[in-house]
Each structure stands twice: as structure tokens, then as C-alpha cells.
Amino acid sequence: MAAMTGGNASFPEAFDEAFQGLDADNGHVLIPESGDARETKALAERQTLRLAECLIGEAPSGCRRITAVFALTLRSAASHVRYAHDSSSTEATASPDALRLARELRRTTARLPRGPWWRVTLTIDVDAAVHPYVDDGVDADFDYCRRPVPDEHLFAPEPS
């Protein structure tokens, strides 16, 4: 699991940390980063921001914070989006556009040494995430199945 933002790291620095070539938690040394991997990470960063912009665009009026979770496989998808207001919240499944963008992001990141993530959680501070500086309010946490998976994110085995 690696968070794209956190602490004092900028969005690009934290995004880099999420896709390092060394997975110290598992003790695996992955393939050193190539020029292609750098380009892929830059594309994934742009896709993450587009997904955040999509979610912001779909948010109800007065929304201050968005938390969106996407669990994806090649054939299955589960999503949960919480739009928080000052004193309440609204919950929904992700729109088809948001799911499409999440799938594109997963396909792109699958080309990186760590491979595809199991789940991604985007946390967006709507007030801080104002285009063109959307990255200031976006945190993305890529889960490579290092945490327990909730029942609603478990899928039946897929035929090979």
C-alpha cells in the first residue's frame, strides 16, 4: 500500500513514492525504473487528477470532501463514493464516467513494476482542489492487497 500524498510531500513526490522500484514492505526488489516507467507514472498521475476532477464535477452542491473507493478486476467493479458536507454526507456508487477513468488508471499502473492495484481510495478536499491546482487537495492510496479486503470488494473467481 502506498499513499500518493501525505505528510509534507507534494503530489508528484508522493506519487513517485507510490510507485518506487523497491517494495521494502515485502522485501522484493523490483525492476529499476526506465524512461518508459517514468512516462507511465506521469500518465497515471494525470489520470488520477482527471478522475478527481470527474468526481468533483459530479459532487452535489456544498460538498467539501469526497472519498471514493474503487475495487476493480478485468471483469468486475465495486465502488463507493461519499460526498461530505459540513454536517452531513451523501453516498453513491461511482458514475460510469468515473469507473471508466478508474479502469484507465488501473490499466496504466498495471504496466509499472508493482503491477495492478486491488483498490484505490481517493480522498479529495474540494476546497483545496481547484483546477488547475487540483493536486493540492487530492490523496490517492493504492492498495496492493496488503490490508484486509471488505466483503463488498471481494469478487467471484474469474475464468482464465
Side-chain angles (χ1 to χ4, degrees):
M1 167 185 74
M4 284 175 30
T5 62
N8 294 327
S10 70
F11 181 82
E13 290 167 345
F15 194 88
D16 258 359
E17 291 172 15
F19 298 106
Q20 290 279 349
L22 175 64
D23 184 2
D25 291 338
N26 291 324
H28 299 145
V29 176
L30 303 175
I31 301 166
E33 186 175 286
S34 66
D36 288 343
R38 283 189 296 276
E39 290 173 20
T40 300
K41 285 192 322 190
L43 174 59
E45 181 179 342
R46 290 189 305 272
Q47 289 173 326
T48 301
L49 296 177
R50 277 201 332 258
L51 177 55
E53 289 172 342
C54 175
L55 293 164
I56 291 168
E58 297 170 350
S61 178
C63 178
R64 312 275 305 200
R65 185 175 183 84
I66 302 167
T67 304
V69 179
F70 298 90
L72 304 170
T73 67
L74 289 174
R75 294 180 185 91
S76 302
S79 65
H80 181 259
V81 183
R82 175 176 290 136
Y83 299 101
H85 310 273
D86 286 330
S87 60
S88 66
S89 64
T90 305
E91 297 187 10
T93 57
S95 71
D97 285 341
L99 278 172
R100 179 183 52 77
L101 291 168
R103 283 193 183 285
E104 287 176 12
L105 174 61
R106 188 170 189 269
R107 273 193 301 273
T108 298
T109 58
R111 297 190 319 242
L112 293 168
R114 288 189 88 172
W117 39 265
W118 181 266
R119 290 179 295 176
V120 64
T121 302
L122 266 63
T123 305
I124 305 163
D125 177 348
V126 176
D127 293 333
V130 178
H131 189 73
Y133 304 107
V134 71
D135 61 325
D136 290 340
V138 178
D139 180 72
D141 181 13
F142 294 89
D143 180 5
Y144 290 88
C145 218
R146 304 230 351 129
R147 289 178 279 176
V149 178
D151 289 343
E152 64 268 17
H153 294 162
L154 293 175
F155 304 119
E158 295 178 358
S160 22

